[in-house]
Amino acid sequence: MSTYILYGVTLLLLALSFKNDKKKTKMSLKKAWKAFENILPEFLVIILLVGTLLAILNPEAISKIIGGDSGWFGVLLAALVGSITLIPGFVAFPTAAMLLQNGAGYMQIGAFVSTLMMVGVVTMPVEIRYFGRKLTFLRNGLAFLFSFVVAYVIGKAVGAL
Amino acid sequence: MMVLLKRYRVFLATFGLVLIMTLINRPLGLEALSITGFSLKEMLLVIPPVFILLGLLDVWVPRDTMIKYMGEGSGLKGILLAFFIGSAAAGPLYGAFPVAGVFMKKGVKFSNILIFIGAWSTTKIPMLLFESTALGVKFAMTRLLIDIPGIILIAYASSKALAPKEIRQIYENAETMIQ
């Protein structure tokens, strides 16, 4: 659905640009290609790492790591698993729902979902190319710590039901 | 040829390791390769429009306009725009960094760029809908409410922790990423 909107908007703007100035349109497409080609090696590494990690850390494996433990140690494990993996939403949320059914607490799931989104160890190669090492480690580190706040609040607000 | 080989050496090494893993544990390796193929398809589907949009942005939108709306002194307007653009985005997080690169080239304030990255990773609207169905509206809304101040906090803390010189270097580097 969102992909269709993205394509619709892109095609519309591209047509508009072409109508106004062919040369500028050509230039922007050239820039787009060069920017893509520039970062392609890092993209390919990420995709390969994600594929490998998802093969190893499948939902059953994640459930074994997160499911059994409760308390802050479980939250820490959940945050660590969430940080390294980069799982697309349509896999991540059903997995999280399954973990809940298998007895994981809301606090652990909160940490898992939060780090999954905010912290990306696998995407670091791309982040470093644009932002440098220091900021990349800083941003991911702060987001990792913040996920414990998220876990605590979700545990209190949702888990208390 | 040598340049190409050098640029892709990390990829080739990783690919080699996956192949060795496949030799040792066939099902695991094949599974990894099949998921990689799937992600590759996802990337080829979502990434081209993102890059075309950033190309158009770079060519058509004047630097002064971007500075006015999202640069130093853009205040709340800049923060809200950064949130909105990040939340409306589609595609995996690694697509956000090239867009951030163009933003830097256009003079967008550093903290707004970090807010944009945070929003792209965390408050994407399609993802929120999905999260609500899988984990419940209360879960998704609680996470959203706590993440919005979190994103702002992380953005300001990170930009304060860097020296002005370091930020300038990051902006200079971004110039070289899109030409």
Side-chain angles (χ1 to χ4, degrees):
Chain A
M1 177 62 192
S2 56
T3 314
Y4 289 120
I5 299 174
L6 183 68
Y7 268 87
V9 171
T10 308
L11 286 176
L12 189 78
L13 290 174
L14 204 59
L16 216 68
S17 164
F18 192 74
K19 205 176 145 246
N20 279 304
D21 193 331
K22 283 188 187 126
K23 225 175 111 191
K24 267 190 165 179
T25 310
K26 221 176 129 185
M27 204 161 93
S28 56
L29 285 176
K30 227 176 175 169
K31 276 174 188 276
W33 169 251
K34 268 168 88 178
F36 174 69
E37 208 271 331
N38 187 19
I39 199 71
L40 187 63
E42 281 83 1
F43 274 5
L44 289 174
V45 172
I46 288 179
I47 283 174
L48 208 53
L49 285 178
V50 171
T52 310
L53 275 172
L54 280 186
I56 298 168
L57 283 170
N58 51 34
E60 293 83 63
I62 294 177
S63 149
K64 252 183 227 155
I65 299 173
I66 300 176
D69 290 287
S70 53
W72 285 104
F73 186 65
V75 174
L76 182 68
L77 284 180
L80 286 174
V81 174
S83 299
I84 34 171
T85 42
L86 179 137
I87 308 179
F90 59 89
V91 183
F93 294 128
T95 305
M98 192 193 82
L99 293 176
L100 272 177
Q101 278 167 5
N102 290 353
Y106 273 99
M107 219 158 72
Q108 287 87 330
I109 297 304
F112 177 64
V113 171
S114 182
T115 49
L116 207 58
M117 294 179 148
M118 293 185 130
V119 187
V121 171
V122 227
T123 45
M124 277 184 167
V126 174
E127 196 169 349
I128 288 173
R129 278 287 302 275
Y130 283 94
F131 283 136
R133 253 173 242 278
K134 185 168 175 186
L135 184 78
T136 301
F137 285 118
L138 198 64
R139 193 195 70 79
N140 283 285
L142 288 173
F144 183 80
L145 292 178
F146 184 71
S147 296
F148 289 90
V149 180
V150 176
Y152 179 76
V153 174
I154 284 188
K156 281 276 173 227
V158 188
L161 285 175
Chain B
M1 189 60 206
M2 277 315 281
V3 179
L4 211 63
L5 215 61
K6 204 177 159 208
R7 284 188 55 213
Y8 285 88
R9 66 178 189 277
V10 180
F11 167 69
L12 291 172
T14 318
F15 191 61
L17 283 177
V18 174
L19 287 183
I20 292 170
M21 190 180 86
T22 312
L23 285 178
I24 298 168
N25 186 339
R26 216 177 133 84
L28 188 69
L30 290 181
E31 175 74 4
L33 287 173
S34 113
I35 298 172
T36 301
F38 179 81
S39 314
L40 197 66
K41 255 194 288 185
E42 196 206 8
M43 177 183 102
L44 291 176
L45 197 72
V46 186
I47 288 299
V50 172
F51 276 89
I52 290 175
L53 285 176
L54 73 83
L56 288 172
L57 174 76
D58 193 36
V59 170
W60 283 103
V61 183
R63 198 178 139 89
D64 290 344
T65 313
M66 287 297 280
I67 291 178
K68 191 177 142 207
Y69 285 104
M70 296 175 82
E72 296 289 338
S74 60
L76 188 66
K77 183 173 57 188
I79 296 177
L80 289 176
L81 265 172
F83 257 113
F84 176 76
I85 300 173
S87 303
L93 181 63
Y94 55 78
F97 299 116
V99 181
V102 182
F103 279 178
M104 283 191 261
K105 199 181 160 191
K106 292 285 178 188
V108 171
K109 195 181 171 188
F110 197 54
S111 57
N112 285 344
I113 284 172
L114 292 171
I115 289 173
F116 161 77
I117 295 282
W120 184 308
S121 71
T122 318
T123 60
K124 277 213 296 274
I125 296 156
M127 282 293 130
L128 279 172
L129 296 176
F130 203 6
E131 186 179 358
S132 302
T133 13
L135 295 169
V137 177
K138 193 165 182 189
F139 185 97
M141 286 306 122
T142 308
R143 199 187 56 73
L144 181 67
L145 282 180
I146 181 85
D147 269 341
I148 289 173
I151 288 168
I152 298 174
L153 204 73
I154 291 171
Y156 279 97
S158 328
S159 56
K160 282 275 171 294
L162 259 65
K165 197 182 138 214
E166 288 171 314
I167 295 179
R168 209 160 48 238
Q169 273 169 354
I170 294 175
Y171 274 70
E172 276 163 18
N173 170 56
E175 296 266 344
T176 67
M177 298 296 278
I178 180 162
Q179 283 166 343

